[in-house]
Amino acid sequence: MKELIEYIALSLVEDPSCVQVRQERSGGNKVRFELRVCKEDMGRVIGKNGRVANAMQVLLRVAAAREGKQAILDVVEPR
């Protein structure tokens, strides 16, 4: 699942060196992912009205469901 998020994010951004995906187990079968990108690429990852980010979340949920897990994706604002 982590690879899926990385693949999608890398294909969207202009600076692939800034893409970071962190995975945390939230207990049981829940998994939480944090996606970090450069400030300039935030608009590309979020998309208009959050459509791109929502589509990534849907794909992640489907991939997680196939493994019997629940997944959450957070796009973290760069510092």
Side-chain angles (χ1 to χ4, degrees):
M1 289 183 287
K2 180 178 177 181
E3 295 82 17
L4 174 65
I5 297 169
E6 285 177 344
Y7 176 78
I8 295 169
L10 289 171
S11 64
L12 292 172
V13 299
E14 283 191 24
D15 186 4
S17 65
C18 291
V19 174
Q20 296 176 347
V21 180
R22 210 172 101 205
Q23 179 178 350
E24 298 177 358
R25 298 226 178 244
S26 302
N29 61 347
K30 294 184 181 181
V31 183
R32 181 173 174 262
F33 293 94
E34 284 186 357
L35 173 62
R36 295 179 189 269
V37 296
C38 291
K39 190 174 186 177
E40 296 81 25
D41 290 325
M42 282 296 288
R44 294 175 189 269
V45 172
I46 294 174
K48 286 187 179 180
N49 296 323
R51 289 184 184 180
V52 175
N54 286 337
M56 288 175 65
Q57 289 176 349
V58 169
L59 289 171
L60 179 62
R61 280 192 214 122
V62 169
R66 285 186 170 186
E67 296 180 13
K69 299 179 181 178
Q70 293 178 342
I72 300 168
L73 175 64
D74 291 329
V75 180
V76 180
E77 184 121 7
R79 296 179 189 132

